[in-house]
Amino acid sequence: MSEQKPLRVAIIGAGTVGSQVISLMNSQADDLKMRIGAPLELIGVGVKDLTKDRPGIAKDLLTDDISALLDKKPDVVIELMGSIEPARKFILQAINNGSSVISANKALLAKDGATLHKAAEKADVDLYYEASVAGAIPLLRPLRESLVGDDVVKILGIVNGTTNYILTKMDELGESFDSALKSAQDLGYAETDPTADVMGHDAASKAAILAQLAFHTRVTIDDVYCEGITSITQQDVKAAQQMGFVIKLLAVAEKVKENAIVVRVHPAMIPVAHPLASVREAFNAVFVQAKAAGSLMFYGQGAGGAPTASAVLGDLVAVGRNRVSQKRGPGESVYADAEILPIASALTSYYLNLEVADQPGVLAEISAAFATQGVSIQTVRQETRGKVASLIIRTHQAKESYLASVLSDLKNLSAVKQINGVMRVEGDEPS
Ligand code: NAP
């Protein structure tokens, strides 16, 4: 039998992830050849700074002329440089040259995945991006292939390790947000500029990618409601603990009615008994609810060079096999074209912490404000301190817009001195 000719691979970006991909391609070359059915030949590595020391990468493979590298028409181009431009330009050049593309670039896929998918469809090449969400955790392929026969109704995910680390330290060590952020930075979990993580933007990109795959609908980052964790205080953390909850930054994508979805990222309280509550430190986990499959949880390392490289290599084997058998994997599936509704249509339950006058009739007045808007109260806990009382209220599931009306009515009640905290509660829906 004649030896299959090598698959030519170009990599753009040799940083945290790219360097690990190259290392795994070298150390596992024989196994990868057997699994793909053809050997891999690395024909070039595009970088910005040619003077950097890059152990493990042959100097003659390095280039800062990415465009010329792509014009050598590799079978597979792996984009690991990040950001929107010039990554988009290079990926489109690769696709138009007939190369299959693998990327870990969540920002670009959530911003303009449609352009890349359409180009890949037209050029009849693969576009795979397993590493763009939750690092090592196999998640996109299960959604795109294993669960494609089922009806996904909701996804709840902890998809940002930095914020999960910060919230874990606030919960377990009683640290403030600022001090937990500093320790995340000292340990390398958070960037010097942590904005994308703590404001929820990184999680929102991932939420868009997950929602698109789960609901067969084009979803971009602009469709995702986004709130970060910067305003979470120790008071919120303690209140959650007292009720048997823990605060997590969640990416939520859900079907709210037939062919309509809401995609949102925000801090939320979840019961300590929920599987996501035990996801600590920088780990990621995604909880998927599907009609026939029931509840599934995907858990593991959501970032880091080697874990992310594992997902890239998985894509490389899949894309390599497709090239060898002259096929294409599944393309973009957006046939459902579900309506993407604003956060006001989200269905969740709520925690409210109110400071109220400790006088007769107050509870009845407050209950009436909820009842008028059709929001039903699940539990109320009262603590009296002198002339004021603190009311901790948990509601049943209600539409976000109804809760907003309750809040505006509460602000007009003279007995309500202050609204100290309002947070969504997830993971305690009746099954
Ligand atoms: P990184 O360490 O910053 O590496 C980026 C690489 O791209 C560097 O080698 C850099 O070259 C090169 N590069 C950047 N701009 C370039 C340009 N204009 N022209 C040529 N080369 C350029 O990034 P990373 O952490 O490996 O992340 C890569 C991708 O993986 C990103 O899309 C990221 O979102 C995604 N990702 C990362 C992780 C993670 O844990 N790090 C996890 C999941 C997904 P120089 O080396 O010369 O500077």
Side-chain angles (χ1 to χ4, degrees), residues 142-178:
L143 282 174
R144 187 157 87 161
E145 296 178 30
S146 322
L147 285 167
V148 73
D150 208 330
D151 186 5
V152 174
V153 287
K154 186 162 184 170
I155 293 178
L156 275 182
I158 296 172
V159 291
N160 181 272
T162 308
T163 45
N164 203 49
Y165 178 87
I166 292 171
L167 291 171
T168 303
K169 295 300 151 194
M170 291 178 75
D171 182 60
E172 295 179 2
L173 303 179
E175 286 188 27
S176 67
F177 170 79
D178 288 334

PDB file of all heavy atoms in Angstrom, residues 142-178:
ATOM      1  N   PRO A 142     -19.803  17.700  21.047  1.00  0.00           N
ATOM      2  CA  PRO A 142     -21.027  17.098  21.598  1.00  0.00           C
ATOM      3  C   PRO A 142     -22.285  17.873  21.216  1.00  0.00           C
ATOM      4  O   PRO A 142     -23.306  17.270  20.889  1.00  0.00           O
ATOM      5  CB  PRO A 142     -20.795  17.139  23.106  1.00  0.00           C
ATOM      6  CG  PRO A 142     -19.312  17.062  23.242  1.00  0.00           C
ATOM      7  CD  PRO A 142     -18.746  17.804  22.059  1.00  0.00           C
ATOM      8  N   LEU A 143     -22.224  19.210  21.215  1.00  0.00           N
ATOM      9  CA  LEU A 143     -23.422  19.977  20.845  1.00  0.00           C
ATOM     10  C   LEU A 143     -23.707  19.857  19.349  1.00  0.00           C
ATOM     11  O   LEU A 143     -24.839  19.710  18.928  1.00  0.00           O
ATOM     12  CB  LEU A 143     -23.245  21.458  21.199  1.00  0.00           C
ATOM     13  CG  LEU A 143     -23.431  21.851  22.663  1.00  0.00           C
ATOM     14  CD1 LEU A 143     -23.075  23.315  22.866  1.00  0.00           C
ATOM     15  CD2 LEU A 143     -24.866  21.595  23.132  1.00  0.00           C
ATOM     16  N   ARG A 144     -22.634  19.923  18.570  1.00  0.00           N
ATOM     17  CA  ARG A 144     -22.786  19.955  17.110  1.00  0.00           C
ATOM     18  C   ARG A 144     -23.130  18.577  16.542  1.00  0.00           C
ATOM     19  O   ARG A 144     -23.803  18.475  15.538  1.00  0.00           O
ATOM     20  CB  ARG A 144     -21.469  20.459  16.515  1.00  0.00           C
ATOM     21  CG  ARG A 144     -21.477  20.712  15.039  1.00  0.00           C
ATOM     22  CD  ARG A 144     -20.402  21.700  14.618  1.00  0.00           C
ATOM     23  NE  ARG A 144     -19.133  21.071  14.349  1.00  0.00           N
ATOM     24  CZ  ARG A 144     -18.164  21.647  13.626  1.00  0.00           C
ATOM     25  NH1 ARG A 144     -18.333  22.861  13.133  1.00  0.00           N
ATOM     26  NH2 ARG A 144     -17.034  21.050  13.428  1.00  0.00           N
ATOM     27  N   GLU A 145     -22.618  17.504  17.218  1.00  0.00           N
ATOM     28  CA  GLU A 145     -22.802  16.167  16.647  1.00  0.00           C
ATOM     29  C   GLU A 145     -23.579  15.224  17.570  1.00  0.00           C
ATOM     30  O   GLU A 145     -24.612  14.700  17.186  1.00  0.00           O
ATOM     31  CB  GLU A 145     -21.443  15.578  16.268  1.00  0.00           C
ATOM     32  CG  GLU A 145     -20.773  16.407  15.162  1.00  0.00           C
ATOM     33  CD  GLU A 145     -19.395  15.910  14.759  1.00  0.00           C
ATOM     34  OE1 GLU A 145     -19.142  14.707  14.848  1.00  0.00           O
ATOM     35  OE2 GLU A 145     -18.565  16.760  14.360  1.00  0.00           O
ATOM     36  N   SER A 146     -23.112  15.043  18.827  1.00  0.00           N
ATOM     37  CA  SER A 146     -23.738  14.017  19.681  1.00  0.00           C
ATOM     38  C   SER A 146     -25.162  14.379  20.065  1.00  0.00           C
ATOM     39  O   SER A 146     -26.024  13.521  20.150  1.00  0.00           O
ATOM     40  CB  SER A 146     -22.908  13.807  20.948  1.00  0.00           C
ATOM     41  OG  SER A 146     -21.545  13.885  20.676  1.00  0.00           O
ATOM     42  N   LEU A 147     -25.413  15.672  20.351  1.00  0.00           N
ATOM     43  CA  LEU A 147     -26.750  16.072  20.814  1.00  0.00           C
ATOM     44  C   LEU A 147     -27.616  16.632  19.690  1.00  0.00           C
ATOM     45  O   LEU A 147     -28.690  17.158  19.949  1.00  0.00           O
ATOM     46  CB  LEU A 147     -26.613  17.131  21.929  1.00  0.00           C
ATOM     47  CG  LEU A 147     -26.167  16.584  23.288  1.00  0.00           C
ATOM     48  CD1 LEU A 147     -25.751  17.715  24.209  1.00  0.00           C
ATOM     49  CD2 LEU A 147     -27.278  15.768  23.936  1.00  0.00           C
ATOM     50  N   VAL A 148     -27.137  16.497  18.457  1.00  0.00           N
ATOM     51  CA  VAL A 148     -27.830  17.163  17.356  1.00  0.00           C
ATOM     52  C   VAL A 148     -29.195  16.528  17.061  1.00  0.00           C
ATOM     53  O   VAL A 148     -30.050  17.145  16.433  1.00  0.00           O
ATOM     54  CB  VAL A 148     -26.915  17.233  16.098  1.00  0.00           C
ATOM     55  CG1 VAL A 148     -26.760  15.874  15.437  1.00  0.00           C
ATOM     56  CG2 VAL A 148     -27.406  18.283  15.126  1.00  0.00           C
ATOM     57  N   GLY A 149     -29.425  15.326  17.585  1.00  0.00           N
ATOM     58  CA  GLY A 149     -30.735  14.709  17.396  1.00  0.00           C
ATOM     59  C   GLY A 149     -31.715  15.044  18.500  1.00  0.00           C
ATOM     60  O   GLY A 149     -32.873  14.637  18.462  1.00  0.00           O
ATOM     61  N   ASP A 150     -31.245  15.765  19.502  1.00  0.00           N
ATOM     62  CA  ASP A 150     -32.081  16.070  20.666  1.00  0.00           C
ATOM     63  C   ASP A 150     -32.547  17.527  20.598  1.00  0.00           C
ATOM     64  O   ASP A 150     -32.200  18.265  19.677  1.00  0.00           O
ATOM     65  CB  ASP A 150     -31.256  15.823  21.949  1.00  0.00           C
ATOM     66  CG  ASP A 150     -32.113  15.451  23.138  1.00  0.00           C
ATOM     67  OD1 ASP A 150     -33.267  15.903  23.206  1.00  0.00           O
ATOM     68  OD2 ASP A 150     -31.619  14.725  24.020  1.00  0.00           O
ATOM     69  N   ASP A 151     -33.330  17.924  21.588  1.00  0.00           N
ATOM     70  CA  ASP A 151     -33.838  19.289  21.629  1.00  0.00           C
ATOM     71  C   ASP A 151     -33.272  19.954  22.893  1.00  0.00           C
ATOM     72  O   ASP A 151     -33.731  19.686  24.001  1.00  0.00           O
ATOM     73  CB  ASP A 151     -35.380  19.210  21.672  1.00  0.00           C
ATOM     74  CG  ASP A 151     -36.026  20.576  21.579  1.00  0.00           C
ATOM     75  OD1 ASP A 151     -35.302  21.575  21.394  1.00  0.00           O
ATOM     76  OD2 ASP A 151     -37.260  20.642  21.701  1.00  0.00           O
ATOM     77  N   VAL A 152     -32.223  20.754  22.718  1.00  0.00           N
ATOM     78  CA  VAL A 152     -31.606  21.414  23.876  1.00  0.00           C
ATOM     79  C   VAL A 152     -32.537  22.528  24.347  1.00  0.00           C
ATOM     80  O   VAL A 152     -33.030  23.322  23.540  1.00  0.00           O
ATOM     81  CB  VAL A 152     -30.218  21.988  23.501  1.00  0.00           C
ATOM     82  CG1 VAL A 152     -29.631  22.792  24.657  1.00  0.00           C
ATOM     83  CG2 VAL A 152     -29.267  20.873  23.103  1.00  0.00           C
ATOM     84  N   VAL A 153     -32.781  22.573  25.665  1.00  0.00           N
ATOM     85  CA  VAL A 153     -33.675  23.620  26.162  1.00  0.00           C
ATOM     86  C   VAL A 153     -32.923  24.694  26.955  1.00  0.00           C
ATOM     87  O   VAL A 153     -33.332  25.851  26.975  1.00  0.00           O
ATOM     88  CB  VAL A 153     -34.835  23.053  27.015  1.00  0.00           C
ATOM     89  CG1 VAL A 153     -35.853  22.367  26.138  1.00  0.00           C
ATOM     90  CG2 VAL A 153     -34.354  22.099  28.081  1.00  0.00           C
ATOM     91  N   LYS A 154     -31.815  24.287  27.576  1.00  0.00           N
ATOM     92  CA  LYS A 154     -31.097  25.294  28.372  1.00  0.00           C
ATOM     93  C   LYS A 154     -29.636  24.899  28.553  1.00  0.00           C
ATOM     94  O   LYS A 154     -29.323  23.722  28.701  1.00  0.00           O
ATOM     95  CB  LYS A 154     -31.763  25.415  29.749  1.00  0.00           C
ATOM     96  CG  LYS A 154     -31.205  26.537  30.610  1.00  0.00           C
ATOM     97  CD  LYS A 154     -32.155  26.887  31.741  1.00  0.00           C
ATOM     98  CE  LYS A 154     -31.654  28.072  32.540  1.00  0.00           C
ATOM     99  NZ  LYS A 154     -32.635  28.577  33.492  1.00  0.00           N
ATOM    100  N   ILE A 155     -28.779  25.912  28.539  1.00  0.00           N
ATOM    101  CA  ILE A 155     -27.365  25.701  28.840  1.00  0.00           C
ATOM    102  C   ILE A 155     -27.007  26.655  29.962  1.00  0.00           C
ATOM    103  O   ILE A 155     -27.338  27.848  29.898  1.00  0.00           O
ATOM    104  CB  ILE A 155     -26.487  26.008  27.605  1.00  0.00           C
ATOM    105  CG1 ILE A 155     -26.747  24.997  26.501  1.00  0.00           C
ATOM    106  CG2 ILE A 155     -25.016  26.020  27.969  1.00  0.00           C
ATOM    107  CD1 ILE A 155     -25.963  25.243  25.237  1.00  0.00           C
ATOM    108  N   LEU A 156     -26.364  26.126  30.994  1.00  0.00           N
ATOM    109  CA  LEU A 156     -25.880  26.966  32.111  1.00  0.00           C
ATOM    110  C   LEU A 156     -24.396  26.692  32.211  1.00  0.00           C
ATOM    111  O   LEU A 156     -24.024  25.539  32.447  1.00  0.00           O
ATOM    112  CB  LEU A 156     -26.492  26.490  33.426  1.00  0.00           C
ATOM    113  CG  LEU A 156     -27.848  26.931  33.913  1.00  0.00           C
ATOM    114  CD1 LEU A 156     -28.122  26.302  35.267  1.00  0.00           C
ATOM    115  CD2 LEU A 156     -27.917  28.444  34.022  1.00  0.00           C
ATOM    116  N   GLY A 157     -23.566  27.700  32.045  1.00  0.00           N
ATOM    117  CA  GLY A 157     -22.146  27.390  32.046  1.00  0.00           C
ATOM    118  C   GLY A 157     -21.299  28.328  32.877  1.00  0.00           C
ATOM    119  O   GLY A 157     -21.565  29.526  32.963  1.00  0.00           O
ATOM    120  N   ILE A 158     -20.274  27.746  33.489  1.00  0.00           N
ATOM    121  CA  ILE A 158     -19.195  28.549  34.081  1.00  0.00           C
ATOM    122  C   ILE A 158     -18.078  28.459  33.055  1.00  0.00           C
ATOM    123  O   ILE A 158     -17.425  27.418  32.930  1.00  0.00           O
ATOM    124  CB  ILE A 158     -18.758  27.966  35.440  1.00  0.00           C
ATOM    125  CG1 ILE A 158     -19.906  28.054  36.434  1.00  0.00           C
ATOM    126  CG2 ILE A 158     -17.514  28.690  35.964  1.00  0.00           C
ATOM    127  CD1 ILE A 158     -19.648  27.339  37.750  1.00  0.00           C
ATOM    128  N   VAL A 159     -17.914  29.497  32.252  1.00  0.00           N
ATOM    129  CA  VAL A 159     -17.009  29.404  31.093  1.00  0.00           C
ATOM    130  C   VAL A 159     -15.850  30.394  31.183  1.00  0.00           C
ATOM    131  O   VAL A 159     -15.127  30.580  30.211  1.00  0.00           O
ATOM    132  CB  VAL A 159     -17.786  29.596  29.767  1.00  0.00           C
ATOM    133  CG1 VAL A 159     -18.699  28.405  29.499  1.00  0.00           C
ATOM    134  CG2 VAL A 159     -18.584  30.883  29.754  1.00  0.00           C
ATOM    135  N   ASN A 160     -15.701  31.036  32.336  1.00  0.00           N
ATOM    136  CA  ASN A 160     -14.553  31.938  32.499  1.00  0.00           C
ATOM    137  C   ASN A 160     -13.836  31.600  33.804  1.00  0.00           C
ATOM    138  O   ASN A 160     -14.376  31.796  34.892  1.00  0.00           O
ATOM    139  CB  ASN A 160     -15.023  33.397  32.493  1.00  0.00           C
ATOM    140  CG  ASN A 160     -13.851  34.356  32.640  1.00  0.00           C
ATOM    141  OD1 ASN A 160     -13.453  34.694  33.748  1.00  0.00           O
ATOM    142  ND2 ASN A 160     -13.262  34.753  31.537  1.00  0.00           N
ATOM    143  N   GLY A 161     -12.623  31.073  33.662  1.00  0.00           N
ATOM    144  CA  GLY A 161     -11.873  30.603  34.826  1.00  0.00           C
ATOM    145  C   GLY A 161     -11.464  31.719  35.765  1.00  0.00           C
ATOM    146  O   GLY A 161     -11.437  31.544  36.985  1.00  0.00           O
ATOM    147  N   THR A 162     -11.129  32.886  35.194  1.00  0.00           N
ATOM    148  CA  THR A 162     -10.660  33.998  36.031  1.00  0.00           C
ATOM    149  C   THR A 162     -11.747  34.408  37.024  1.00  0.00           C
ATOM    150  O   THR A 162     -11.490  34.538  38.231  1.00  0.00           O
ATOM    151  CB  THR A 162     -10.316  35.212  35.142  1.00  0.00           C
ATOM    152  OG1 THR A 162      -9.434  34.769  34.127  1.00  0.00           O
ATOM    153  CG2 THR A 162      -9.702  36.329  35.922  1.00  0.00           C
ATOM    154  N   THR A 163     -12.952  34.628  36.524  1.00  0.00           N
ATOM    155  CA  THR A 163     -14.021  35.081  37.417  1.00  0.00           C
ATOM    156  C   THR A 163     -14.424  33.969  38.387  1.00  0.00           C
ATOM    157  O   THR A 163     -14.780  34.236  39.530  1.00  0.00           O
ATOM    158  CB  THR A 163     -15.248  35.551  36.616  1.00  0.00           C
ATOM    159  OG1 THR A 163     -15.518  34.594  35.592  1.00  0.00           O
ATOM    160  CG2 THR A 163     -15.012  36.896  35.988  1.00  0.00           C
ATOM    161  N   ASN A 164     -14.332  32.714  37.935  1.00  0.00           N
ATOM    162  CA  ASN A 164     -14.679  31.633  38.861  1.00  0.00           C
ATOM    163  C   ASN A 164     -13.658  31.547  39.984  1.00  0.00           C
ATOM    164  O   ASN A 164     -14.002  31.288  41.139  1.00  0.00           O
ATOM    165  CB  ASN A 164     -14.800  30.293  38.129  1.00  0.00           C
ATOM    166  CG  ASN A 164     -15.660  29.320  38.909  1.00  0.00           C
ATOM    167  OD1 ASN A 164     -16.760  29.669  39.346  1.00  0.00           O
ATOM    168  ND2 ASN A 164     -15.169  28.125  39.144  1.00  0.00           N
ATOM    169  N   TYR A 165     -12.388  31.808  39.645  1.00  0.00           N
ATOM    170  CA  TYR A 165     -11.351  31.826  40.684  1.00  0.00           C
ATOM    171  C   TYR A 165     -11.643  32.945  41.693  1.00  0.00           C
ATOM    172  O   TYR A 165     -11.608  32.739  42.913  1.00  0.00           O
ATOM    173  CB  TYR A 165      -9.969  32.029  40.038  1.00  0.00           C
ATOM    174  CG  TYR A 165      -8.869  32.111  41.064  1.00  0.00           C
ATOM    175  CD1 TYR A 165      -8.252  30.961  41.539  1.00  0.00           C
ATOM    176  CD2 TYR A 165      -8.476  33.356  41.589  1.00  0.00           C
ATOM    177  CE1 TYR A 165      -7.266  31.035  42.508  1.00  0.00           C
ATOM    178  CE2 TYR A 165      -7.500  33.430  42.556  1.00  0.00           C
ATOM    179  CZ  TYR A 165      -6.893  32.271  43.019  1.00  0.00           C
ATOM    180  OH  TYR A 165      -5.923  32.360  43.991  1.00  0.00           O
ATOM    181  N   ILE A 166     -11.952  34.128  41.178  1.00  0.00           N
ATOM    182  CA  ILE A 166     -12.214  35.283  42.063  1.00  0.00           C
ATOM    183  C   ILE A 166     -13.413  34.993  42.971  1.00  0.00           C
ATOM    184  O   ILE A 166     -13.358  35.193  44.192  1.00  0.00           O
ATOM    185  CB  ILE A 166     -12.468  36.560  41.214  1.00  0.00           C
ATOM    186  CG1 ILE A 166     -11.179  36.978  40.495  1.00  0.00           C
ATOM    187  CG2 ILE A 166     -13.020  37.696  42.070  1.00  0.00           C
ATOM    188  CD1 ILE A 166     -11.355  38.083  39.456  1.00  0.00           C
ATOM    189  N   LEU A 167     -14.496  34.481  42.392  1.00  0.00           N
ATOM    190  CA  LEU A 167     -15.706  34.224  43.192  1.00  0.00           C
ATOM    191  C   LEU A 167     -15.458  33.103  44.208  1.00  0.00           C
ATOM    192  O   LEU A 167     -16.007  33.128  45.314  1.00  0.00           O
ATOM    193  CB  LEU A 167     -16.884  33.883  42.270  1.00  0.00           C
ATOM    194  CG  LEU A 167     -17.386  35.067  41.426  1.00  0.00           C
ATOM    195  CD1 LEU A 167     -18.397  34.602  40.381  1.00  0.00           C
ATOM    196  CD2 LEU A 167     -18.003  36.162  42.301  1.00  0.00           C
ATOM    197  N   THR A 168     -14.610  32.127  43.853  1.00  0.00           N
ATOM    198  CA  THR A 168     -14.281  31.050  44.804  1.00  0.00           C
ATOM    199  C   THR A 168     -13.554  31.634  46.018  1.00  0.00           C
ATOM    200  O   THR A 168     -13.854  31.298  47.164  1.00  0.00           O
ATOM    201  CB  THR A 168     -13.385  29.975  44.124  1.00  0.00           C
ATOM    202  OG1 THR A 168     -14.058  29.488  42.978  1.00  0.00           O
ATOM    203  CG2 THR A 168     -13.097  28.818  45.064  1.00  0.00           C
ATOM    204  N   LYS A 169     -12.604  32.540  45.763  1.00  0.00           N
ATOM    205  CA  LYS A 169     -11.848  33.142  46.881  1.00  0.00           C
ATOM    206  C   LYS A 169     -12.763  34.027  47.721  1.00  0.00           C
ATOM    207  O   LYS A 169     -12.625  34.086  48.952  1.00  0.00           O
ATOM    208  CB  LYS A 169     -10.657  33.969  46.355  1.00  0.00           C
ATOM    209  CG  LYS A 169      -9.602  33.146  45.661  1.00  0.00           C
ATOM    210  CD  LYS A 169      -8.996  32.099  46.583  1.00  0.00           C
ATOM    211  CE  LYS A 169      -8.523  30.881  45.817  1.00  0.00           C
ATOM    212  NZ  LYS A 169      -8.214  29.704  46.587  1.00  0.00           N
ATOM    213  N   MET A 170     -13.693  34.721  47.087  1.00  0.00           N
ATOM    214  CA  MET A 170     -14.633  35.564  47.850  1.00  0.00           C
ATOM    215  C   MET A 170     -15.528  34.686  48.717  1.00  0.00           C
ATOM    216  O   MET A 170     -15.847  35.011  49.852  1.00  0.00           O
ATOM    217  CB  MET A 170     -15.491  36.414  46.897  1.00  0.00           C
ATOM    218  CG  MET A 170     -14.685  37.498  46.192  1.00  0.00           C
ATOM    219  SD  MET A 170     -15.684  38.460  45.015  1.00  0.00           S
ATOM    220  CE  MET A 170     -16.648  39.485  46.124  1.00  0.00           C
ATOM    221  N   ASP A 171     -15.899  33.519  48.206  1.00  0.00           N
ATOM    222  CA  ASP A 171     -16.817  32.625  48.924  1.00  0.00           C
ATOM    223  C   ASP A 171     -16.091  31.865  50.036  1.00  0.00           C
ATOM    224  O   ASP A 171     -16.575  31.787  51.159  1.00  0.00           O
ATOM    225  CB  ASP A 171     -17.418  31.631  47.917  1.00  0.00           C
ATOM    226  CG  ASP A 171     -18.417  30.684  48.567  1.00  0.00           C
ATOM    227  OD1 ASP A 171     -19.408  31.189  49.119  1.00  0.00           O
ATOM    228  OD2 ASP A 171     -18.207  29.459  48.531  1.00  0.00           O
ATOM    229  N   GLU A 172     -14.912  31.335  49.712  1.00  0.00           N
ATOM    230  CA  GLU A 172     -14.271  30.425  50.670  1.00  0.00           C
ATOM    231  C   GLU A 172     -13.368  31.140  51.670  1.00  0.00           C
ATOM    232  O   GLU A 172     -13.187  30.673  52.783  1.00  0.00           O
ATOM    233  CB  GLU A 172     -13.464  29.360  49.912  1.00  0.00           C
ATOM    234  CG  GLU A 172     -14.371  28.454  49.082  1.00  0.00           C
ATOM    235  CD  GLU A 172     -13.611  27.398  48.292  1.00  0.00           C
ATOM    236  OE1 GLU A 172     -12.370  27.317  48.405  1.00  0.00           O
ATOM    237  OE2 GLU A 172     -14.270  26.662  47.540  1.00  0.00           O
ATOM    238  N   LEU A 173     -12.756  32.265  51.239  1.00  0.00           N
ATOM    239  CA  LEU A 173     -11.808  32.944  52.138  1.00  0.00           C
ATOM    240  C   LEU A 173     -12.341  34.284  52.620  1.00  0.00           C
ATOM    241  O   LEU A 173     -11.656  35.006  53.342  1.00  0.00           O
ATOM    242  CB  LEU A 173     -10.457  33.149  51.434  1.00  0.00           C
ATOM    243  CG  LEU A 173      -9.759  31.892  50.909  1.00  0.00           C
ATOM    244  CD1 LEU A 173      -8.453  32.243  50.215  1.00  0.00           C
ATOM    245  CD2 LEU A 173      -9.480  30.916  52.052  1.00  0.00           C
ATOM    246  N   GLY A 174     -13.541  34.665  52.184  1.00  0.00           N
ATOM    247  CA  GLY A 174     -14.116  35.945  52.619  1.00  0.00           C
ATOM    248  C   GLY A 174     -13.379  37.143  52.047  1.00  0.00           C
ATOM    249  O   GLY A 174     -13.454  38.251  52.578  1.00  0.00           O
ATOM    250  N   GLU A 175     -12.658  36.946  50.938  1.00  0.00           N
ATOM    251  CA  GLU A 175     -11.886  38.066  50.362  1.00  0.00           C
ATOM    252  C   GLU A 175     -12.812  39.060  49.650  1.00  0.00           C
ATOM    253  O   GLU A 175     -13.888  38.700  49.182  1.00  0.00           O
ATOM    254  CB  GLU A 175     -10.886  37.530  49.325  1.00  0.00           C
ATOM    255  CG  GLU A 175      -9.702  36.821  49.942  1.00  0.00           C
ATOM    256  CD  GLU A 175      -8.638  36.472  48.900  1.00  0.00           C
ATOM    257  OE1 GLU A 175      -8.541  37.164  47.865  1.00  0.00           O
ATOM    258  OE2 GLU A 175      -7.915  35.498  49.129  1.00  0.00           O
ATOM    259  N   SER A 176     -12.341  40.310  49.534  1.00  0.00           N
ATOM    260  CA  SER A 176     -13.080  41.303  48.751  1.00  0.00           C
ATOM    261  C   SER A 176     -12.821  41.020  47.268  1.00  0.00           C
ATOM    262  O   SER A 176     -11.873  40.285  46.926  1.00  0.00           O
ATOM    263  CB  SER A 176     -12.583  42.713  49.080  1.00  0.00           C
ATOM    264  OG  SER A 176     -11.256  42.837  48.613  1.00  0.00           O
ATOM    265  N   PHE A 177     -13.621  41.635  46.395  1.00  0.00           N
ATOM    266  CA  PHE A 177     -13.399  41.467  44.954  1.00  0.00           C
ATOM    267  C   PHE A 177     -11.977  41.893  44.585  1.00  0.00           C
ATOM    268  O   PHE A 177     -11.257  41.175  43.885  1.00  0.00           O
ATOM    269  CB  PHE A 177     -14.433  42.277  44.152  1.00  0.00           C
ATOM    270  CG  PHE A 177     -14.111  42.340  42.692  1.00  0.00           C
ATOM    271  CD1 PHE A 177     -14.390  41.271  41.855  1.00  0.00           C
ATOM    272  CD2 PHE A 177     -13.485  43.460  42.151  1.00  0.00           C
ATOM    273  CE1 PHE A 177     -14.060  41.308  40.514  1.00  0.00           C
ATOM    274  CE2 PHE A 177     -13.145  43.503  40.809  1.00  0.00           C
ATOM    275  CZ  PHE A 177     -13.438  42.423  39.988  1.00  0.00           C
ATOM    276  N   ASP A 178     -11.546  43.075  45.104  1.00  0.00           N
ATOM    277  CA  ASP A 178     -10.231  43.612  44.717  1.00  0.00           C
ATOM    278  C   ASP A 178      -9.100  42.679  45.137  1.00  0.00           C
ATOM    279  O   ASP A 178      -8.160  42.446  44.380  1.00  0.00           O
ATOM    280  CB  ASP A 178     -10.020  45.007  45.331  1.00  0.00           C
ATOM    281  CG  ASP A 178     -10.915  46.031  44.635  1.00  0.00           C
ATOM    282  OD1 ASP A 178     -11.267  45.799  43.464  1.00  0.00           O
ATOM    283  OD2 ASP A 178     -11.262  47.050  45.282  1.00  0.00           O
TER     284      ASP A 178
END
